[in-house]
Amino acid sequence: MPPKPASLRTLLDLTSTTLALLTHFQSSLSPTATADASIPPPPNPLQALKACTSLLKSHTTTLSLLLLTPPLTPSAIITKIGDVSSGPLTGLVGAAVAEGELGDLMQAEVKVQVRRLLGAWGEVVGCVVRLAERRKKLEDEGGAAQAKKDDGPTEGERQAVLAATGVVWEACDALVKLCDGGIAGLVVRKAEEWRSVLLDAVEELKEWGDDVDDDDAEEGGSDGEFGDEDEMFGAANKLGKEDKELKEVLDKSVKKLKMVGVLYQALIKRRLKTFPSISPATAASAKGHKNPMTTLEELMKLIKSMPEQVDDLASAFYDLDADEAKTMLDKCCGEAKSAATLVKQNWSGNDDEFTAWSTKWVDALNAP
């Protein structure tokens, strides 16, 4: 006797447990979550992530076709959802929570992207729920014979399935790109973003300083009782002709911060792009030299902190506080020198072109 076909009720029950599983997985990937000891980490997390992501994309494509092609077949959809839950979803989470394998920065980025992918997959499961509920309603109202006459999803349902599938594909492609770029690709991208933020802030400071005499040169230029908006709200933090000390600090700051921007370029080219591609958990560093991953984590913290300090520096200038501006400039330059010194030697602990260049750069930054 052939087995009884899977029912829509069974399918709906499965979607309910699947959505609950996704919620659990997403919670395990939150920034404050602790590692789940029940999920064993893979030997190479990035390779595992890429393999699981490619498999999930393939399964999603097949499931999408099942949903769009009438009649709705609960047994085939149940099998596909089960394959995804027990295979790529579990694998993705296991790789994302692998402690000590990816480094803090990479692991945080992986968790963000895997959470996004889980959320996208949940939208696909939501499409399954809506189609199954509509089909079940037909059965309840007219019996199985009436349900068999179902012409498939409505145009709105078709578009929802296609849209949800597209979001999964985009999330999969982004995660595969992250894996292909590896840790070096990520840190280079982050460093370029932070350098851009730093230089934008420097340019704003320069423009603020260049604007010093614009309003002073136009005496009596206000219109009416209250004048213009700049006069009303900007006069308090305008740099006036008499603020010679602050202007000197500003010029010095712009000059030195541009040098920090040059340091970013050198670090990206000579250190971040050359970061070893071997697993950081098993990276063999030179004798007497720190593990490259430990050094990289320290370097990225310094690179990230400098744009934040430039924001504080800008606030000091806008408050017309020369002493605070000097303090913040010294702090930012100190962080920059620490970054240059930290990776003065290459990842193998040897001198190279950057070693000599960084010494000259520090001397130039220390100059008045």
Side-chain angles (χ1 to χ4, degrees):
M1 184 176 180
K4 183 178 179 181
S7 67
L8 289 166
R9 182 71 268 164
T10 302
L11 173 58
L12 288 169
D13 288 342
L14 176 62
T15 58
S16 179
T17 57
T18 301
L19 291 172
L21 178 65
L22 288 172
T23 299
H24 169 70
F25 279 161
Q26 287 181 307
S27 296
S28 71
L29 295 172
S30 67
T32 58
T34 55
D36 189 344
S38 66
I39 304 178
N44 190 317
L46 292 183
Q47 288 184 4
L49 282 165
K50 185 175 178 180
C52 290
T53 301
S54 299
L55 185 57
L56 177 59
K57 186 176 181 180
S58 176
H59 280 316
T60 303
T61 302
T62 303
L63 179 58
S64 177
L65 292 173
L66 289 173
L67 296 176
L68 295 175
T69 305
L72 197 69
T73 311
S75 57
I77 297 173
I78 287 171
T79 299
K80 187 58 60 178
I81 292 177
D83 290 343
V84 169
S85 296
S86 62
L89 288 188
T90 301
L92 282 169
V93 176
V97 299
E99 291 290 340
E101 290 292 319
L102 299 175
D104 293 343
L105 190 65
M106 186 65 164
Q107 186 165 46
E109 185 70 17
V110 164
K111 285 184 175 182
V112 168
Q113 295 210 20
V114 172
R115 277 173 61 89
R116 177 192 172 202
L117 184 49
L118 295 178
W121 173 250
E123 292 300 316
V124 174
V125 176
C127 290
V128 175
V129 172
R130 290 187 289 274
L131 290 171
E133 286 179 340
R134 185 169 67 82
R135 179 69 180 271
K136 190 172 186 306
K137 183 178 179 181
L138 288 173
E139 283 190 359
D140 293 342
E141 292 177 351
Q146 180 64 30
K148 287 182 179 179
K149 296 179 182 180
D150 182 15
D151 293 328
T154 64
E155 182 58 27
E157 290 168 338
R158 285 179 59 84
Q159 292 303 319
V161 171
L162 292 173
T165 302
V167 173
V168 171
W169 286 353
E170 290 176 3
C172 287
D173 291 344
L175 189 50
V176 168
K177 183 178 180 181
L178 176 66
C179 295
D180 285 341
I183 294 173
L186 175 65
V187 295
V188 165
R189 175 168 62 84
K190 290 291 187 181
E192 288 174 342
E193 291 173 356
W194 294 329
R195 176 179 180 270
S196 179
V197 171
L198 182 146
L199 293 181
D200 285 346
V202 172
E203 188 61 29
E204 288 180 8
L205 272 178
K206 184 176 181 300
E207 291 177 359
W208 178 75
D210 290 342
D211 194 38
V212 55
D213 292 327
D214 286 356
D215 288 341
D216 293 342
E218 299 179 4
E219 294 184 6
S222 61
D223 297 324
E225 180 181 357
F226 299 106
D228 60 20
E229 183 178 351
D230 287 340
E231 184 178 345
M232 291 169 61
F233 300 107
N237 64 354
K238 289 280 186 186
L239 184 59
K241 291 180 179 180
E242 70 281 0
D243 296 320
K244 292 182 178 180
E245 180 187 7
L246 194 61
K247 184 66 165 64
E248 289 176 359
V249 177
L250 176 63
D251 291 342
K252 180 179 179 180
S253 298
V254 169
K255 176 184 175 181
K256 289 185 178 293
L257 292 176
K258 285 183 177 179
M259 291 180 63
V260 174
V262 174
L263 175 65
Y264 271 75
Q265 287 180 301
L267 289 171
I268 290 169
K269 181 178 180 180
R270 300 295 182 181
R271 291 296 178 258
L272 301 185
K273 287 185 176 180
T274 62
F275 186 74
S277 58
I278 55 177
S279 172
T282 58
S285 55
K287 185 176 180 181
H289 193 64
K290 286 195 299 185
N291 184 302
M293 177 53 71
T294 302
T295 302
L296 179 67
E297 295 288 348
E298 294 178 18
L299 177 62
M300 295 308 289
K301 289 178 181 178
L302 291 169
I303 292 176
K304 181 182 179 183
S305 70
M306 284 184 275
E308 298 169 352
Q309 289 166 2
V310 173
D311 284 342
D312 293 335
L313 173 64
S315 295
F317 278 117
Y318 299 152
D319 291 339
L320 306 181
D321 189 338
D323 291 337
E324 179 65 12
K326 291 177 184 177
T327 299
M328 294 312 305
L329 177 61
D330 289 343
K331 185 175 181 180
C332 185
C333 289
E335 297 279 76
K337 287 184 284 187
S338 295
T341 303
L342 179 65
V343 289
K344 189 172 184 177
Q345 294 181 311
N346 65 21
W347 299 113
S348 299
N350 300 316
D351 291 349
D352 61 5
E353 291 180 1
F354 180 85
T355 307
W357 180 90
S358 63
T359 300
K360 295 178 181 178
W361 180 87
V362 169
D363 290 341
L365 190 70
N366 285 333

